[in-house]
Amino acid sequence: MSQKKISIFDTTLRDGEQSPGCSMYLEEKISMARQLELLGVDVIEAGFPFASEGDFQSVAAVARECRSTTIAALCRTVPSDIYRAAEALKDAKKARIHTFVATSDIHLQYKLKKTRDEVLEMTANAVRIARGCVDDVEFSAEDATRSDVDFLCQVFEVAVNEGATVLNVPDTVGYTLPGEFAALVTTVKERVVRDRNVTISVHCHNDLGLAVANSLAAVEAGATQVECTVNGVGERAGNASLEELVMAIAVRGDKMPYSNNIDTTQLYPASQLLSSIVGFGVQPNKAIVGRNAFAHEAGIHQHGVLSNPLCYEIMTPESVGVPKNNIVLGKHSGRHALIARYQELGLIFEDNEIAEIYTRFIALADRKKNVYDQDLLALAPARIPVAIAA
Ligand code: KIV
Ligand code: ZN
């Protein structure tokens, strides 16, 4: 059976960066973008150029750096925003302008203070201007899941008629449920897309912990692009986690026969790199990339896994790039283990720096039972992590 291709749109550098404590410097964004290219994402949303000079420069730099991936820049449906996005993308090999406007009555009334007709006009103008700048234009209806469905379809229709190539259905506030979201995607497909060559995309937030489930339900209903972030970072409770989406599809190919371009062995390195850049890691029990994701504590489980890992593991640690020798760092660990761990985190230090870090490490290990990546990041001098090749 031929497999439906799902495009992975990564917004770690845009929506992810909007989450508290996740802001990144330009060099860090370039480093992360290189890792995302190694991972094989189809689109990197590199920032919101109109928002700040820093964001503009980051999008421009990522656009120059990444030649195999489409680079997207976000903008409101405001002409000055769109031209700024186009300017930031001018050196990109493959550029996408991503323009958005809210469509729910609550956003129209309290945030935008616009009528529905005005929103329709803003959409038409924005997509037309964006198509005058680039061939690939994504249109997002912010708060789509709380919008009146007839109005939502009207806005999407206008966007397609003006040349939008991708229609994105965001669950901006993480409110929807899988069945309901699938039905919405089906409606957009039947009423707006029909037989036209337009991609349906989804963008789910995790306020109810349903971002991945909602995204997968949407894919089953016909969406062929999912927007997500490494480690699930993003506004509030975050976005759909890239590693969870990709591995759900990889592990359950029997029920979800979809393909994508992701090299799953780069998932763990990507997660580690992001953690070192933002200075905090994922929770220990985080699926796929958490410290305990492949750890077995109970004797009965340990025995099963030793006899055959399939007893308790539905995927291997190696398949997501978790190194085989996950050495536990403690007060008996030597410098080599410490250097190796920092290298896995993308951090390389001079000998004299390692000597100082090691002294601090031993002092900490004397007080704490286990020393985790977060501790190591806090012990080390600030440094831009580098992308870790396979
Ligand atoms: O959550 C959201 O609605 C967004 C849009 C800009 C796509 O991030
Ligand atoms: Zn978002």
Side-chain angles (χ1 to χ4, degrees), residues 251 296 301 303-317:
V251 171
H296 303 278
H301 285 211
H303 175 232
V305 166
L306 289 173
S307 309
N308 183 341
L310 286 176
C311 288
Y312 285 102
E313 285 181 358
I314 56 170
M315 61 197 131
T316 63

Side-chain angles (χ1 to χ4, degrees), residues 18-68:
Q18 283 173 220
S19 65
C22 276
S23 60
M24 299 175 223
Y25 296 117
L26 186 137
E27 288 302 325
E28 295 172 331
K29 285 194 172 179
I30 294 176
S31 193
M32 194 64 211
R34 285 195 196 115
Q35 178 66 41
L36 291 169
E37 266 207 321
L38 281 178
L39 184 61
V41 305
D42 299 273
V43 185
I44 296 174
E45 184 163 58
F48 189 164
F50 193 82
S52 70
E53 178 61 23
D55 246 36
F56 177 88
Q57 295 302 344
S58 305
V59 174
V62 170
R64 281 191 295 271
E65 180 71 27
C66 298
R67 310 309 287 170
S68 61

Side-chain angles (χ1 to χ4, degrees), residues 106-309:
I106 190 165
H107 277 239
L108 264 62
Q109 187 180 345
Y110 295 103
K111 189 184 80 173
L112 296 177
K113 302 193 186 335
K114 299 277 182 205
T115 63
R116 288 185 174 189
D117 281 345
E118 284 171 319
V119 167
L120 285 168
E121 200 180 318
M122 286 161 77
T123 302
N125 278 340
V127 175
R128 193 179 317 123
I129 294 172
R131 272 307 302 258
C133 301
V134 295
D135 290 336
D136 190 359
V137 173
E138 173 166 337
F139 172 76
S140 282
E142 191 189 12
D143 207 16
T145 52
R146 292 191 302 167
S147 302
D148 171 63
V149 72
D150 293 332
F151 179 59
L152 178 69
C153 288
Q154 238 185 313
V155 177
F156 276 153
E157 182 69 34
V158 163
V160 174
N161 291 342
E162 294 295 343
T165 46
V166 181
L167 292 180
N168 186 35
V169 189
D171 183 27
T172 304
V173 291
Y175 173 74
T176 199
L177 302 173
E180 179 187 65
F181 197 45
L184 181 61
V185 167
T186 302
T187 302
V188 171
K189 193 176 163 183
E190 290 174 359
R191 282 167 58 177
V192 184
V193 173
R194 304 189 296 276
D195 58 354
R196 294 183 282 190
N197 188 20
V198 173
T199 298
I200 301 185
S201 169
V202 288
H203 174 111
C204 294
H205 279 270
N206 206 29
D207 300 65
L208 294 174
L210 291 171
V212 170
N214 288 335
S215 305
L216 292 175
V219 166
E220 294 194 289
T224 52
Q225 173 176 286
V226 282
E227 304 198 354
C228 48
T229 57
V230 173
N231 293 346
V233 292
E235 282 277 9
R236 307 178 311 279
N239 288 64
S241 144
L242 184 151
E243 52 279 357
E244 292 175 23
L245 275 169
V246 166
M247 288 317 289
I249 292 172
V251 171
R252 295 309 310 270
D254 58 326
K255 296 281 180 209
M256 295 185 287
Y258 313 128
S259 65
N260 58 61
N261 288 337
I262 298 294
D263 172 358
T264 61
T265 65
Q266 289 297 330
L267 289 171
Y268 187 74
S271 165
Q272 291 292 305
L273 181 64
L274 182 65
S275 297
S276 15
I277 288 174
V278 297
F280 60 86
V282 296
Q283 81 266 23
N285 61 329
K286 165 82 172 65
I288 321 295
V289 292
R291 190 172 69 233
N292 295 347
F294 296 95
H296 303 278
E297 165 86 26
I300 220 166
H301 285 211
Q302 289 173 340
H303 175 232
V305 166
L306 289 173
S307 309
N308 183 341

